[in-house]
Amino acid sequence: MIVVASSNGRIGIEAATQILRQGGTAVDAVEVGIRLVEANPEDHTVGYNGYPNILGEVELDASVMNGRTLESGAVGALKGYTHAITVARQVMEKLPHVLLVGDGANRFAAEMGNPVQPEMLLPETRTVWANRLRPDMNDADIEAIAERTDLARWVELATDPERAKGTVNFIAQDKDGNICTGVSTSGWAWKYPGRLGDSPIIGAGNYADNRYGAAACTGMGEMAIRASTAHSLVFYMKMGLSLAEACERAMIDLRDLGGRFISVMNLVAIDKAGNHAGFSSVNGRSYIYQTPNMPECEELPRTVIPIPPRWG
Ligand code: GLY
């Protein structure tokens, strides 16, 4: 039994581990852990008080995958609800679908009785958003930004390739050997409305298969979508590579992407025996894990496979 998470999962990993100690399922552990991250206003990359899109609206993406059945649920561009991971799980368990986005996701969240959070941003975070636009827009322009028909240009101005593409990853394996992966994010700060990253895309930011292992990504989601990173990593294990070899191979696939818009990528993964690994394209990144007999999580450095950034 084990829980592995990106380092911003620290606030939730003990609660997730406690679920496993009590004999609960990997799916429950992942949801409980991620909900605590989503509720944390200090984390501007996930859930409540996450950095908004270019219009100043928080749009959340999340997914969950049950490695026992490969059943999955995901939501994209969800607005007005803190716990995107719970809505993703409800998609998995209550619908014959895998992914709901936008108005449909909001409608379903309401139908499932999730509490509405009418104001997803604290005032100081709204100010950070406005200040990012302020060098190029005056207050009246910012006030009227929703009316604009040239958002693509402003997204480019507001884009900072190193800023706020964080996300939370949780992977849990329960007493029955079942694996679940969950990913939740507010996505790329100041993104174009409706932009989805890798987090709600099964196979890109999230994949779990009890027979081989699981993987999840943080970083620039577009890269993980282009390389199908989470599925590729698990597939490499299926083809006989060790966990470390599979992680390395998945990072090399990301490094070898052509074209523009190459930035930071990170992944965490486990194999079916519960061995764990964390990789990053940059120095100084870590991940955490906890087993039921550990009183607290341990933080480990990620193995670095450098990916030279390329932009514009
Ligand atoms: N990895 C999160 C995102 O790109 O939205």
Side-chain angles (χ1 to χ4, degrees):
M1 284 188 281
I2 189 164
V3 181
V4 178
S6 49
S7 55
N8 59 339
R10 183 175 283 275
I11 197 168
I13 197 166
E14 167 57 26
T17 308
Q18 183 61 11
I19 296 283
L20 299 185
R21 279 189 200 107
Q22 291 168 345
T25 67
V27 178
D28 282 343
V30 161
E31 183 187 7
V32 162
I34 290 182
R35 280 178 65 95
L36 289 164
V37 185
E38 289 175 332
N40 176 15
E42 306 295 315
D43 191 325
H44 295 298
T45 71
V46 180
Y48 176 69
N49 206 33
Y51 284 134
N53 66 16
I54 190 82
L55 301 180
E57 302 166 334
V58 179
E59 289 185 329
L60 301 182
D61 303 337
S63 66
V64 62
M65 184 160 189
N66 182 341
R68 183 173 65 80
T69 57
L70 308 198
E71 289 171 306
S72 315
V75 287
L78 179 75
K79 285 195 241 178
Y81 295 89
T82 296
H83 295 299
I85 193 67
T86 295
V87 187
R89 180 174 180 177
Q90 290 162 344
V91 171
M92 177 171 78
E93 294 182 345
K94 309 279 188 206
L95 290 177
H97 306 317
V98 167
L99 173 60
L100 292 181
V101 300
D103 288 346
N106 300 338
R107 181 185 184 119
F108 176 71
E111 205 172 309
M112 291 294 106
N114 294 281
V116 175
Q117 174 56 259
E119 186 42 82
M120 287 289 289
L121 278 184
L122 290 171
E124 54 267 32
T125 310
R126 185 163 291 287
T127 302
V128 173
W129 163 75
N131 285 346
R132 189 71 186 90
L133 298 170
R134 207 157 263 131
D136 306 298
M137 288 190 197
N138 59 36
D139 284 350
D141 287 340
I142 293 172
E143 195 62 35
I145 190 168
E147 315 304 322
R148 300 191 78 100
T149 55
D150 62 349
L151 281 183
R153 185 166 71 90
W154 294 102
V155 167
E156 201 162 309
L157 285 174
T159 295
D160 177 348
E162 299 310 319
R163 179 81 187 248
K165 291 184 288 289
T167 296
V168 68
N169 297 157
F170 266 74
I171 304 176
Q173 187 178 42
D174 63 28
K175 66 177 189 334
D176 298 318
N178 293 322
I179 300 173
C180 176
T181 312
V183 181
S184 183
T185 189
S186 49
W188 190 340
W190 339 131
K191 62 194 172 187
Y192 198 97
R195 175 267 185 188
L196 304 183
D198 58 328
S199 305
I201 309 297
I202 297 299
N206 179 343
Y207 204 77
D209 185 332
N210 276 5
R211 296 172 297 174
Y212 313 111
C217 303
T218 59
M220 188 171 168
E222 283 76 357
M223 292 171 65
I225 294 173
R226 289 161 67 189
S228 298
T229 299
H231 179 264
S232 293
L233 196 161
V234 174
F235 181 77
Y236 288 134
M237 290 195 279
K238 180 177 182 175
M239 292 292 105
L241 270 61
S242 70
L243 174 67
E245 289 166 342
C247 290
E248 189 174 333
R249 188 61 250 176
M251 291 298 292
I252 289 170
D253 288 346
L254 291 161
R255 188 193 67 195
D256 290 349
L257 287 170
R260 300 178 299 155
F261 305 123
I262 302 299
S263 183
V264 174
M265 276 303 299
N266 318 287
L267 53 85
V268 290
I270 68 169
D271 64 18
K272 67 181 179 193
N275 298 305
H276 50 91
F279 277 62
S280 177
S281 63
V282 292
N283 291 317
R285 301 292 166 98
S286 59
Y287 73 103
I288 54 177
Y289 80 98
Q290 191 168 354
T291 58
N293 57 0
M294 291 167 64
E296 59 185 32
C297 65
E298 185 175 347
E299 186 159 2
L300 294 174
R302 293 182 191 241
T303 303
V304 177
I305 306 280
I307 301 179
R310 212 161 55 239
W311 205 256

